[in-house]
Structure formats: structure tokens, C-alpha cells
Amino acid sequence: MHQTKSERRTTLTESSTYLNEAIAIWFRDLRSEFRTRYALNAILMFAVTTLIAVSFSIGSFRIEEAERPFLYSVLLWIILTFSALSGLSRSFVKEEEAGTIDVLKLSARPQAVFLGKLLFNLTLLGALGLVIVPSFILFMGYQINLPGFFVAVVISGGLGLGAGTTIIAAIISRASARGALFSVLSLPLLFPLMITCMKGCERAAIGINSAGWPEVRIAVAYVVIMIILSLFLFPLVWEE
Amino acid sequence: MIYKTLLAIWMAVIIVASFLFTEAATGFPGETSRILFFHVPQAWVATLSFLISMIGSAVYLAKRTVKADYVALSAAELGFLFCVLATVTGSIFAKVTWGSFWNWDPRETSIVILLMIYGAYFALRSAVSDPERSRVFAGVYSILAFVTVPFLVFVVPRITTSLHPENTMNPANPGMDPKTLKVFLGSLLAYTALYVWMLRLRIRILRLEGLRVRDLFRESDNK
Amino acid sequence: MKEGLGFVMGVNLIIWCGIAFYLFVLDRRVKRLEASAEDQGKD
């Protein structure tokens, strides 16, 4: 009786530890980030300064009304993508710099590490989106006719940014010339996602409601495929 | 040796045939449609090379045999070369036919992404000093990149319409002139054979370089 | 035959001959190096 109970407990913990470990890593990163606010500051300041530069030079009335939905969505996604690229690599680079990478290797399984870092990056992206998207809309006078569709595109696109770049961050943390390499490696992978989200935001702004939100579907498919692939490939990178 | 000589003659025959045997397709300025016999096989080889590089990477990650990585790296290098060739020839044709060197037609977009991926791949390889680690990372990146490319196939045609001539120039369509089709298929064969030759040469050179590095290490160990 | 077609064809053929010649030479050199590398391996 005792035997079976403990056995059952181990299988239970087996299935739930991946998530537990991932969440533990996520909280640990959040705590250390809260102390230093390094990555968040880098990302937010990059985004805010870019937004100010764009808003100052273009203003809310410089672009003709018919062109606005498309050009504004392009600008928004360029700001979001490049801000994300400016800070997301921190999640792994900081482990490498602090020398905590071996401890992390011993204390958690690779997939859990990946999920934890992914959650952390997604948190950063969430903060970025919460600050930048509303202020972009305010500063630029961006008129959006389908807010629900717009929000869905932004959220799925943000998930895609996180899903596509987390494993790249792990790769570049072991290479030289990290900062430049992160953007160089990430952009080709993010390109299809960026085009999709730009198109989606444009349609949401104009107000073309097509059944099933195809842009959101493409972005979600991208997220799912990137996460599954990363779960397979990450252990190879991590153990190298 | 015999095959290589045959290939040299075959390619020369294709070049002559593509100018003398076939008629220029109608609907294009002057004789420009003859680009079909050179540009399309180059693009085909570039795509094939991308696939081979991905397979080589996957085999390397699964089995960790250095030869698989040589295949992946050589295919990436040659794929890059053929990508550039296809881009340049296509761009010249675009200038003559559509009026500008670059139009962001879907295939132009996807070939730019392919060039970006190859560039990133080489940057990654040179940024990691440990050879084995560099192979693993390059392999992982190659697979990631390969998986995102199909998204372009879905995404890009929704954004822009294609300028590429599909009816008279696509061999899958019945609109193609039979003579043109024969020379085109011959050219495809010639380019693929040339590619295989170049790929094997590059793999052998990489292997020789690997042997030399190993010998150097052995010598320094002996000292 | 149209004006200029023969010229372009000639240029093409010359380029191809150059590439083929280079590849043949390279092939021979690689073969020789491989032979010497195998000899070294036997030592």
C-alpha cells in the first residue's frame, strides 16, 4: 500500500515538475529582474526613445489619412520588434556572465529551463506591449476600427516574438559578438511573423473583418511550431 | 572523370541549344525570355541546397558525424552562391521587363530571406570558436530557419501579387513550348549535376582541411 | 538568327569553359592532396 502510494506520488511529480521547475525559474528571473531592472529598462527605454523619435518626426498628421493604417502598423511593429531584440537576449546572457549557468544546468531539466526563460521573456514583452501600444496609439492618433482583432494580433505577435527569439538567445549567449548576432540571427526567423502582424494590424485599423482572423491564426501556428521545435532543439544547445 | 567530361559537353550543348534551338517566348521584350534556361535552374539549385543543408544538419545533430556537418556547411556555401546568381540574373531581367531592378515580388522576397538566413548562418559559425559547439549551433539554427520558410509561402503571396511569368515560363503548365521544355529540362539536369560535382568537391576540401588541423594538433602534441 | 544572340552565346560558352576548367584543376589538386594525406595517415 505504502509502496504504491509513493510510486503514484513520483509519477505525479514527474509530470508536474517540468512546469514547477519552469515556474520556479520564471519567478527567480522575475525577482532578480525586479532588483536590477536591467532588461526591462533596456527594452522600455529603447522603445520609448524610438517612439518619441518617430512621433516627433512624423507627427500625427504628416501622413495622409488613407496611408495611415498601413504605415502606422509598420512603424508599430518595427518599434516592437527592435525593442524586443534590444533586450530579450539578456535572459541567457546574464546567466553566462554571472557564471550561474552550471548551477542552472544541475538544478533543472533543459525543457524546464527553456519554458522558464520563455515565460520570463513573454513577461518582458507583455510589459513592453502594455506601455508602447497604448502610447503609440495616443501619440500617433492611430485610429483602430476593430479593437478586438487589433489586440488579438498584438498578443499573438508578441507571443511569436518570444517564441522565436528565446532559443536564439540561448545560442548567442555562448558566442562572441552577442548583441549584433542576436538581431542578425533572429530577424530572418521573425520576418514572416512581422509581415503577418503588420498586415493584421493594418486590416484591424481599416476595419476589414474577415472570418476566422487569418493573421492571428498564422501567428498562433508560428508560436506553436516554434515552441515545439525549441523544446526538441533546446537540450542540444543547452548541453553543449 | 567520364561523367565530368560528359557534363562539360552537356552544359555547352545546353548553352548552344538555348540560344539557337529554341524560339524566344512571346510577350517579353526581345530575346529576354531565354533567361529561363539559366535563372530558374539556379533558383532550383539554391532551394535544393537549402534542403540538403538542413538534412545534413539534422543528421549531424542526431549522429554527431563530422561528415554530415561538412555536407551541411558545403551545401550552405553553394546554396548562397547560387542564391546570389539567381538574384542577380533575376534582377537584370526585372529591370528589362518590369522597369526596375527590385520589385518585392513574392519570390524576390523569399530569396532575400534565404540570403539573410545564409548570412546569419555564416555569422553564427564564425562567432563560435569551439568547432563542435559551432557545428551544433549552426545545425540547430539551420533547422529553425528551415521551418520558418514555409510560413513565407503562406504569408508573402497575401501581401503582394507575383510578377513572375507563370503561364509560358512555368514547366508545370501546358502553355510551354515543347522545344523550350526540352532544353529547360536539360538545363535543370546540367545545373543539378554541376551542383553535385561542386558539392562533392567542397566536402572533400573540408575533409582535407579537417585532417590537416588534426595533424597539426598531433604534431604539437608530439612536441 | 537575331542580331547579338551569337555574341551572348559565345560569352556564355567562354564563361562555362572557364568554370569547367577551374573545377577540373581543383578536382585534380584535391585528388593529389587526398593521396598524400592518406600516405601520411599510414605512417
Side-chain angles (χ1 to χ4, degrees):
Chain A
M1 184 62 199
H2 181 75
Q3 186 80 20
T4 52
K5 199 174 176 183
S6 76
E7 258 173 26
R8 199 170 59 205
R9 191 193 277 160
T10 50
T11 53
L12 254 179
T13 46
E14 269 303 306
S15 58
S16 63
T17 40
Y18 274 106
L19 212 57
N20 281 346
E21 280 176 22
I23 289 170
I25 291 168
W26 180 28
F27 281 162
R28 165 183 164 279
D29 276 5
L30 281 182
R31 265 200 306 277
S32 83
E33 179 59 36
F34 197 71
R35 235 177 283 132
T36 59
R37 275 177 238 107
Y38 185 100
L40 194 65
N41 278 343
I43 292 177
L44 280 184
M45 281 318 293
F46 190 100
V48 168
T49 38
T50 319
L51 175 59
I52 289 172
V54 167
S55 177
F56 173 74
S57 50
I58 294 178
S60 37
F61 302 108
R62 195 71 60 83
I63 297 174
E64 278 180 39
E65 189 124 22
E67 302 280 340
R68 268 182 222 164
F70 175 60
L71 287 181
Y72 282 6
S73 87
V74 170
L75 286 173
L76 175 65
W77 277 102
I78 288 177
I79 294 176
L80 283 176
T81 311
F82 282 88
S83 318
L85 289 179
S86 73
L88 287 190
S89 63
R90 276 306 295 175
S91 52
F92 281 99
V93 170
K94 108 185 145 196
E95 306 281 355
E96 189 79 18
E97 280 173 358
T100 46
I101 204 154
D102 292 323
V103 183
L104 201 57
K105 268 183 193 166
L106 287 175
S107 53
R109 274 164 296 184
Q111 282 90 352
V113 173
F114 173 76
L115 286 176
K117 295 291 182 187
L118 176 66
L119 286 171
F120 175 69
N121 278 349
L122 290 178
T123 320
L124 287 179
L125 282 167
L128 170 73
L130 277 179
V131 173
I132 286 306
V133 176
S135 38
F136 183 86
I137 292 171
L138 270 172
F139 271 111
M140 308 292 289
Y142 195 6
Q143 224 175 31
I144 294 150
N145 289 323
L146 290 171
F149 184 26
F150 186 83
V151 170
V153 173
V154 170
I155 289 176
S156 55
L159 290 174
L161 283 180
T165 52
T166 304
I167 189 167
I168 303 293
I171 290 176
I172 63 112
S173 70
R174 325 297 296 279
S176 46
R178 289 163 183 162
L181 201 59
F182 186 54
S183 310
V184 167
L185 292 184
S186 301
L187 275 177
L189 303 189
L190 293 178
F191 202 82
L193 182 80
M194 277 176 77
I195 303 177
T196 311
C197 293
M198 286 169 184
K199 194 72 190 166
C201 282
E202 180 201 358
R203 287 154 67 98
I206 302 174
I208 309 170
N209 199 0
S210 45
W213 292 357
E215 281 82 11
V216 178
R217 281 194 194 178
I218 292 176
V220 169
Y222 180 89
V223 172
V224 171
I225 288 176
M226 282 319 252
I227 290 180
I228 291 175
L229 201 63
S230 299
L231 283 175
F232 275 108
L233 293 176
F234 183 76
L236 299 171
V237 175
W238 188 238
E239 275 147 23
E240 188 48 54
Chain B
M1 195 65 192
I2 295 166
Y3 295 109
K4 288 158 193 168
T5 319
L6 276 178
L7 168 65
I9 296 164
W10 180 242
M11 187 66 110
V13 168
I14 289 293
I15 291 171
V16 173
S18 62
F19 285 100
L20 301 186
F21 179 63
T22 59
E23 314 274 323
T26 51
F28 298 94
E31 305 286 326
T32 51
S33 68
R34 294 181 200 275
I35 191 182
L36 166 77
F37 306 116
F38 306 100
H39 170 71
V40 180
Q42 282 160 5
W44 146 253
V45 166
T47 319
L48 176 74
S49 197
F50 191 45
L51 176 70
I52 291 176
S53 180
M54 197 281 288
I55 293 172
S57 301
V59 170
Y60 177 74
L61 289 178
K63 293 190 176 161
R64 303 292 167 114
T65 45
V66 188
K67 188 154 187 227
D69 181 65
Y70 291 162
V71 174
L73 178 60
S74 325
E77 285 174 356
L78 286 176
F80 184 71
L81 172 70
F82 278 95
C83 239
V84 171
L85 284 175
T87 314
V88 170
T89 51
S91 188
I92 295 170
F93 178 70
K95 176 69 183 168
V96 177
T97 326
W98 307 320
S100 79
F101 283 112
W102 203 259
N103 308 285
W104 290 112
D105 158 285
R107 292 195 198 170
E108 287 178 344
T109 312
S110 38
I111 211 158
V112 163
I113 304 292
L114 209 54
L115 286 171
M116 276 167 74
I117 290 171
Y118 279 134
Y121 179 86
F122 298 131
L124 176 60
R125 283 201 92 112
S126 60
V128 185
S129 48
D130 178 56
E132 197 179 327
R133 187 181 281 179
S134 129
R135 287 185 195 122
V136 172
F137 287 2
V140 168
Y141 186 72
S142 168
I143 292 172
L144 281 172
F146 189 83
V147 171
T148 52
V149 166
F151 276 94
L152 283 173
V153 179
F154 286 112
V155 172
V156 177
R158 306 174 71 95
I159 313 292
T160 49
T161 48
S162 181
L163 292 167
H164 269 81
E166 296 291 345
N167 292 323
T168 46
M169 301 286 260
N170 190 336
N173 274 344
M176 200 171 188
D177 174 54
K179 272 183 179 176
T180 312
L181 183 63
K182 269 179 214 156
V183 179
F184 173 71
L185 291 178
S187 174
L188 216 53
L189 181 72
Y191 265 91
T192 312
L194 174 66
Y195 169 70
V196 172
W197 184 13
M198 289 168 80
L199 184 70
R200 289 187 57 195
L201 260 177
R202 187 74 191 113
I203 293 169
R204 283 160 66 194
I205 292 170
L206 280 176
R207 198 180 130 253
L208 277 174
E209 281 171 356
L211 287 178
R212 210 181 67 191
V213 170
R214 209 181 57 195
D215 287 348
L216 283 176
F217 270 111
R218 203 180 283 160
E219 273 168 30
S220 62
D221 283 349
N222 289 343
K223 279 168 196 168
Chain C
M1 193 174 134
K2 288 256 172 67
E3 190 80 9
L5 221 55
F7 173 72
V8 179
M9 186 179 82
V11 171
N12 257 300
L13 278 173
I14 289 167
I15 292 174
W16 166 241
C17 287
I19 294 171
F21 178 73
Y22 173 72
L23 286 176
F24 273 114
V25 171
L26 196 65
D27 210 339
R28 277 184 61 129
R29 273 177 61 189
V30 168
K31 213 169 271 176
R32 218 177 298 145
L33 279 170
E34 274 172 344
S36 69
E38 269 161 34
D39 285 347
Q40 273 185 359
K42 278 172 194 163
D43 292 342

